[in-house]
Every structure is written in C-alpha cells, then in structure tokens.
Amino acid sequence: MVALATFMEVLDTTIANVALRYISGGLAVGPDEAAWVVTSYLVANAITLTASSFLAKRYGRKAFFMWSVALFTVSSILCGFAWSLESLLLFRVLQGLGGGGMAPLAQSILADSFPPEKRGQAFALYGVAIVVAPVIGPTLGGWLSDNASWHWCFLINGPVGVIALGLMYWLIEDSAAAKKERRALVRKGIRFDIVGFVLVALFLGSLEVILDEGQRKDWFGTSTLMNVSGVLMAVSFVAMIPWLLTKKNPAVDLRLIGNRQFGSCFLVMMFTGAILIATTQFIPQITQEYYGYTATLSGLVLGPGGIVTVVMMFLTGRVSAYVQPKWLIAAGMTIVALGMVDLTRLDGSTTFSFFAWSRVYIGIGLPMVFLSITSASYEGIRKDQTDQASALINVARNVGGSMGVSLAQNILAYRSQFHQSRLVESVNPTAPAYQETMRQATQYFSEHGYAGVEAQSQATAWIGSVLSTQVAYWAYIDVFWVLGLVATCAVPLALSLKSVKLGGGAPAGGH
C-alpha cells in the first residue's frame, strides 16, 4: 500500500516528459516554457524531502503520509483541469510538495515495520515502485497523449490516490516508539529548524533549476535566471554547511553523509538515479527524433526492461539474504555499464529490439544496485535517524536524476557541435565519393517528380539531413559512453562498503 502511493508519486517524475509537446500545443506556449512543468515538480519535490523527517516525527508518519497523499491527489486532479501554463505550474508545485514526503516515508515505514529476515522482500516491492515507475511513465504518458489527452497524465492519479488513502487509513498505525518520540518532541519543545530548512530549500531549488534549465538557457551567459540561481545556490551552500553541522536538531543531518557506509550509499544512489532517469528520457527521445517512433512506441521500448526489473527485484530480494550488498551493487553496476557500452553500437539500421534489449540489461543490473543500497544504507543507523536517512537517500536519487539528465544534455549538445565541425571538414564537394553520391541522389529525385535544379537542391538537402542524423548518432553514442563511465565509477565505491548482517538487509536503526 505504501509502495502504491510511492509508485504514483515517482511515476509523475517522468510521465509528463513525453507529453510536453502536447502540453505546449494545448496551452499555446513554447517548448522551453512547457519544460517548466517538469522542473517545477522536481524543485518542489526536492524541497519537501528535506522537511519530511521532522514533520513525520512531529505529527506522526500516518498523519503526514495521508496529508501528503491527499495533497498530491487533489493537485494532480487540478493539473488535469489546468486552463493555462501558470495554473498548471502552480498545481505542479503543490503536487511536488505533496509527493516529496511520500517516498522517504514509505521507505522508513517498511524499514521499521519488518524484521530483518523479511525486510529484503519488503524493500523489493518498494523498489519495484521506485525503479519501474520511471520506466512505465513515458509508456503510459505517450499512450495517453496519443490516444486521449495530456490531461489524463494527471487525472489518472485521482482514483489511485483515493484507493491509497483508504488503505492507509485502515492498515497503517504509528508504532509505540514513534508515538513516544512524538510526545517527547512536544514535551521538550523542539522546534523545526526553519533556518536550516530555508537554506537547504534554496540550495536544492536553485540546483534543480540550474540542472534542468541550464542547457536551454545557455547556462550563465546571458540568462538572468541562471545567474540569480547560481548566486543563491552558492550563498545557501556556504551558509548551510556550518549551520547544519553545529545545530543540535538540524533540518538535515549532514553528519550522516560523513559516515563512510551511508556516504558511499548516498553517492551510489546518485549514480543510480542519474543512469535511470537519463536513459529513461534519452532512449525514447532518440527513437522519436531519429527513428520515427510515436510517443506510445517510444515508451514501449522501455517495457521489456520494466518486466525484467520487476522479476529481478524479487530475485534480488531473495538473494540478498545470502550475498553481501557490496557484491550485488558491484555486479549490478558492472551489468549496467556493459549495457551502456552495448548502446554505443547504435546506427541508422538499429531496430526496436536493439533498444528493448539494452533496457533489459539495465533492468537486470539496477534492481541489484537499488535494493542493496536501500538495505546497506541503514547499517549502523540509529532508530531515531531512520527518517533522516530515508529522506537523504531519496534526495540523492532525485538530485542524481537531474544531474544525469543535465550531464547527458550537455554532452549531447557539445559533442554534436564537435562532430558537426569535424564531419563538415571531411566533406569535400570535389571528392569523387561525394560527387557520385550527389549524382545518384539527384537521379533519384529526378525519377520521383523533381526536375533539373530542384532535383539537385533536394539531393543537397538530403545529404545534409543524412550528415545531421549521423552527427546525432555519434553524439548519443558519446552520451552512453559517459553514462557507462558513471556506472563504472560506482563499482569501487560499492566495494568500499562494510559487510552487513545478512537476512533481509541491515537493521534499520541498529545500534
């Protein structure tokens, strides 16, 4: 039931991606303006993550979880009925604020609700929501946009949210320890670290804006938004470090990241989020732009990998009772790296099955990584740090995903320019090969109704189009090489992790 709510929330990080051109047309705005539909959600989501730990302790996990789901559900329906871009962005911010607390709460509820011997399977079900939802998002969003309307990308959350709320009301109860901790907070008069929260919110919000909009705004060249965001990010970062490290009850416990075990898991989760979200966005993108796939078909490319991911989650949940997390993470990231290398073989003749199989390889590796990180990150964490650990791991996934997409976009742009310049240098109109290609293309267009100069003009345009497509292939290949390198870098980090007590994961809150 907590996995259902989390699935719904994570789904919305990607479901709108393939619908952006429909939103752009429906609301009569430009593509750059429509992109804020994704950015506004990620910013609000990241901000709420930092406050989720204290709010869950102060008001109870059940109450905070239900309020989060209720806000998410209502704002989702409002998004579906949005009448302008401004109203849609407002409702997406509310949706992100509601969704931000759902993933870490679900994770910490599972960590505290199951004994170590059953925790692996519980995290496997939760992992299905986290890893499969971004895969299903483009498929579902593409199908709804092609066959119904972009509005339904948001309206479908309505019935799911109502069901999740009902199940939570009847099935979730705060533990006796949680109630005792809540009474202690009230008795001691511990207040929310509003200064720390504002500093972290400014840092994460500015960082998300820079990562998501930097490429479109030409970074810090002429964009006022980028320059203001950069200053806010730098100032808030410099101020928040000493504040959070010296505060007795900080909004975010940065000392957890200083723990070698948790810090390594935090970094590996960032790498995992980067690869998961970047490939989820760029594989449908290349199939639509250069292979003529519809939004639905581009989403279906990810489908086989999603099925494999579900199976691997439960298999990994069982295997985790016998194999140390560090070995599973290292093996999983090696498989993912090899999957990225396989993607570098793409060319003009690449088929649907090629892209589908590449996603299958990722679907084999990522569950091994994700589930093992979730278990290993709780090793050595006290019971009262469970919510903070859950929030930080989800911040790592969220920010890592944005970093991955930003990194991929920049590599794609800069390498496209590089390959374009190199290819143009090598194209010589006086070369026999070029002249023969030009002759054959002109003859082809002459036979299809074009005469004289017009046929030659069409041939020139066709050659230019072929060259541009080849440049794009090479640029995407460079993107996949870099993502493979990111996966490879996670392997030594995984091997640095400490061995944990086997039997379903490290005991969350173990002393």
Side-chain angles (χ1 to χ4, degrees), residues 15-95:
I15 194 172
N17 286 354
V18 294
L20 287 181
R21 62 190 182 98
Y22 292 93
I23 295 173
S24 176
L27 298 179
V29 296
D32 286 354
E33 294 174 293
W36 276 99
V37 172
V38 176
T39 304
S40 58
Y41 179 84
L42 290 174
V43 170
N45 196 279
I47 290 172
T48 307
L49 278 169
T50 62
S52 62
S53 174
F54 179 87
L55 295 175
K57 291 178 180 178
R58 177 62 180 81
Y59 299 104
R61 285 176 180 167
K62 178 177 180 177
F64 182 49
F65 205 158
M66 291 189 67
W67 274 109
S68 296
V69 174
L71 176 59
F72 182 88
T73 304
V74 172
S75 55
S76 295
I77 296 173
L78 291 173
C79 285
F81 289 108
W83 56 90
S84 65
L85 179 64
E86 291 76 15
S87 62
L88 179 57
L89 293 181
L90 172 62
F91 300 144
R92 279 289 275 178
V93 168
L94 293 176
Q95 192 184 33

Side-chain angles (χ1 to χ4, degrees), residues 92-302:
R92 279 289 275 178
V93 168
L94 293 176
Q95 192 184 33
L97 293 175
M102 290 161 60
L105 275 179
Q107 189 172 326
S108 57
I109 286 172
L110 290 175
D112 285 348
S113 299
F114 289 87
E117 63 272 13
K118 295 183 179 180
R119 195 172 291 136
Q121 288 298 307
F123 279 147
L125 181 60
Y126 170 77
V128 168
I130 294 294
V131 178
V132 176
V135 176
I136 293 178
T139 307
L140 183 59
W143 185 85
L144 289 170
S145 298
D146 284 341
N147 296 281
S149 166
W150 64 264
H151 301 81
W152 284 99
C153 294
F154 304 109
L155 292 175
I156 59 169
N157 289 331
V160 179
V162 171
I163 293 171
L165 275 173
L167 291 173
M168 283 176 215
Y169 179 79
W170 290 106
L171 299 178
I172 289 184
E173 286 297 336
D174 286 333
S175 65
K179 293 178 181 178
K180 182 179 180 181
E181 185 179 14
R182 187 161 69 251
R183 288 194 296 268
L185 283 176
V186 175
R187 187 172 58 252
K188 294 177 182 178
I190 296 177
R191 297 182 179 276
F192 181 52
D193 178 18
I194 188 65
V195 174
F197 171 73
V198 170
L199 291 174
V200 174
L202 281 174
F203 171 71
L204 289 177
S206 302
L207 177 62
E208 289 281 3
V209 169
I210 290 171
L211 292 174
D212 292 331
E213 296 295 320
Q215 179 58 42
R216 286 187 286 269
K217 302 292 186 182
D218 193 28
W219 296 103
F220 302 104
T222 58
S223 172
T224 302
L225 174 65
M226 289 296 99
N227 291 325
V228 171
S229 297
V231 171
L232 284 176
M233 183 185 72
V235 172
S236 57
F237 179 77
V238 170
M240 79 176 185
I241 298 300
W243 179 274
L244 295 177
L245 289 178
T246 56
K247 188 76 173 176
K248 185 176 181 181
N249 294 289
V252 176
D253 191 356
L254 289 183
R255 289 179 286 266
L256 281 173
I257 300 179
N259 179 296
R260 182 171 68 86
Q261 179 82 356
F262 186 85
S264 297
C265 289
F266 184 89
L267 289 175
V268 174
M269 183 58 90
M270 286 187 69
F271 295 156
T272 304
I275 295 169
L276 174 63
I277 302 301
T279 55
T280 300
Q281 177 167 323
F282 277 78
I283 291 177
Q285 179 175 303
I286 190 174
T287 55
Q288 286 186 74
E289 291 184 1
Y290 298 101
Y291 293 89
Y293 290 17
T294 63
T296 303
L297 192 59
S298 294
L300 287 174
V301 164
L302 308 179

